[in-house]
Amino acid sequence: MATAAEADAMRRAITLAARGLGSTSPNPVVGCVITDASGHVVGEGFHQRAGGPHAEIHALRAAGVLARGGTAYVTLEPCNHTGRTGPCAQALAEAGVARVVYAVADPNPEATGGADTLRAAGIEVEQGLLADEAAAGNAGWLTSVRLGRPHVTWKYAATLDGRVAAADGTSRWISSPESRADVHRLRAEADAVLVGSGTARADDPHLAVRGIAGATQPLRVVIDSEGVAVKPGARVLDDAAPTAVAVAEDVLPDATAHLGEVWRLPRASGGGLDIAALLATLHARGVRSVLLEGGPTLAGAFVAAGAVDRVIGYIAPVLLGAGTAALTDAGITTITDALRLDVTETVRIGTDLRVTATVPKGA
């Protein structure tokens, strides 16, 4: 059983890994803490960007000779292959560490095997310390490897009676200023932010990150099946962040001439665009995590397609009594088919309650 000091070291590595959210894709987020032979922390690091040094390399550089005979705590099994950087398993062995503790095994067939390499070098290796916490922090990359699509978080703000807009269509502002600021944190941690044509028409959203220094801007994606919602001069077309507009493959080129990057996708049988094709396009673009900020119709299409992995709701202490529901057309017609989620966190944000829930595996 791990000691409190070992758990603290791994928890610190998980915290470090989170600093890379939004900037490492298509690579995972990884954190590493190195302690010397007496158990004192002598080095730490995290993977900061794709193509740059991995977490273990940053930590080894900080530790220097003090790594010899020490322990490395890593959130993901050290890689065993040479890509744009060398294998971390070899670097740890050459540094003379005596023990490596990692949380999650690497499911990527191109990079796995690091643990075996370390053992072959005479290094003690242990797996599984705080594995669930580390996996949750790396959900985007793990989902992409296991399912071949990005991890999708649906974010919405609603009144206590479940409305995202009043009967006259007004919705600004249901949530508190603190909640709206928190959404920018979610954007900064995502590779792409996604809305539908209804949101594009009603709100002319900007979708870029504001108020977070050094944030990597996510790819802004608008699902505009007919190619008519994103007008010339729309805020999402500025140069604050990259933008792609997804339209149906039969939309005429002249209708999209002003849009820049355009994805032409097949239509779904029930209307809109095919969600699986959209996710495949995002994945091919290097997107590993998506923040779905679209309205209730687009969210319903994702839920119906089984393509929502996490839900974050900002629930405001407000009552409307009528208006637009948070979710529509999700393909659920009876209570026995309801999608029941696992609540992982409830936090007070300003005057609102932020509820985070995950979709159970196999749901």
Side-chain angles (χ1 to χ4, degrees):
M1 184 175 180
T3 66
E6 290 172 329
D8 286 346
M10 184 61 79
R11 193 163 284 112
R12 172 60 179 168
I14 293 170
T15 299
L16 288 167
R19 294 183 181 179
L21 288 170
S23 62
T24 65
S25 289
N27 292 353
V29 294
V30 183
C32 178
V33 170
I34 295 177
T35 59
D36 63 15
S38 62
H40 294 100
V41 174
V42 293
E44 58 181 34
F46 67 97
H47 185 38
Q48 300 175 16
R49 59 179 179 82
H54 289 186
E56 297 93 324
I57 305 306
H58 284 296
L60 286 171
R61 288 174 179 171
V65 297
L66 297 177
R68 186 165 297 279
T71 299
Y73 297 87
V74 195
T75 58
L76 184 69
E77 179 183 0
C79 66
N80 197 44
H81 78 299
T82 299
R84 285 183 283 182
T85 60
C88 291
Q90 180 180 336
L92 289 165
E94 291 175 351
V97 299
R99 181 169 168 251
V100 173
V101 179
Y102 66 91
V104 179
D106 192 334
N108 183 357
E110 295 181 358
T112 192
D116 292 337
T117 295
L118 292 166
R119 291 189 183 98
I123 296 171
E124 180 184 350
V125 179
E126 298 176 24
Q127 175 192 340
L129 180 58
L130 301 185
D132 289 345
E133 292 181 33
N138 215 4
W141 183 80
L142 289 170
T143 298
S144 74
V145 173
R146 292 166 177 165
L147 301 181
R149 66 161 176 83
H151 182 275
V152 177
T153 296
W154 170 41
K155 182 280 302 180
Y156 70 96
T159 62
L160 195 58
D161 55 345
R163 306 296 178 176
V164 296
D168 65 356
T170 56
S171 61
R172 295 186 177 182
W173 293 103
I174 287 175
S175 59
S176 66
E178 292 85 354
S179 290
R180 298 197 295 275
D182 194 57
V183 169
H184 285 279
R185 175 189 60 83
L186 294 180
R187 288 179 181 176
E189 293 177 352
D191 296 332
V193 178
L194 183 64
V195 298
S197 57
T199 300
R201 282 191 296 266
D203 298 339
D204 188 22
H206 192 228
L207 302 181
V209 177
R210 298 188 300 275
I212 299 179
T216 299
Q217 291 291 346
L219 174 68
R220 301 176 292 188
V221 181
V222 180
I223 310 305
D224 185 8
S225 303
E226 306 304 326
V228 297
V230 182
K231 305 294 185 182
R235 298 172 69 215
V236 77
L237 297 178
D238 69 10
D239 59 1
T243 299
V245 179
V247 303
E249 54 193 0
D250 56 358
V251 171
L252 296 176
D254 287 350
T256 62
H258 64 287
L259 294 179
E261 183 174 354
V262 176
W263 300 345
R264 296 184 176 277
L265 303 177
R267 293 182 183 271
S269 57
L273 299 183
D274 184 87
I275 300 299
L278 171 64
L279 291 172
T281 301
L282 286 161
H283 191 267
R285 184 70 154 66
V287 170
R288 299 297 179 259
S289 59
V290 171
L291 182 62
L292 178 60
E293 293 195 41
T297 301
L298 184 61
F302 269 75
V303 170
V308 171
D309 303 291
R310 181 174 65 158
V311 179
I312 298 179
Y314 295 87
I315 310 303
V318 175
L319 298 176
L320 283 173
T324 306
L327 183 68
T328 59
D329 301 325
I332 300 169
T333 58
T334 178
I335 193 66
T336 57
D337 293 336
L339 182 57
R340 300 188 183 275
L341 311 178
D342 295 328
V343 175
T344 59
E345 184 186 51
T346 56
V347 178
R348 183 76 176 265
I349 304 287
T351 57
D352 306 330
L353 184 66
R354 186 186 71 203
V355 179
T356 302
T358 58
V359 178
K361 293 180 180 179

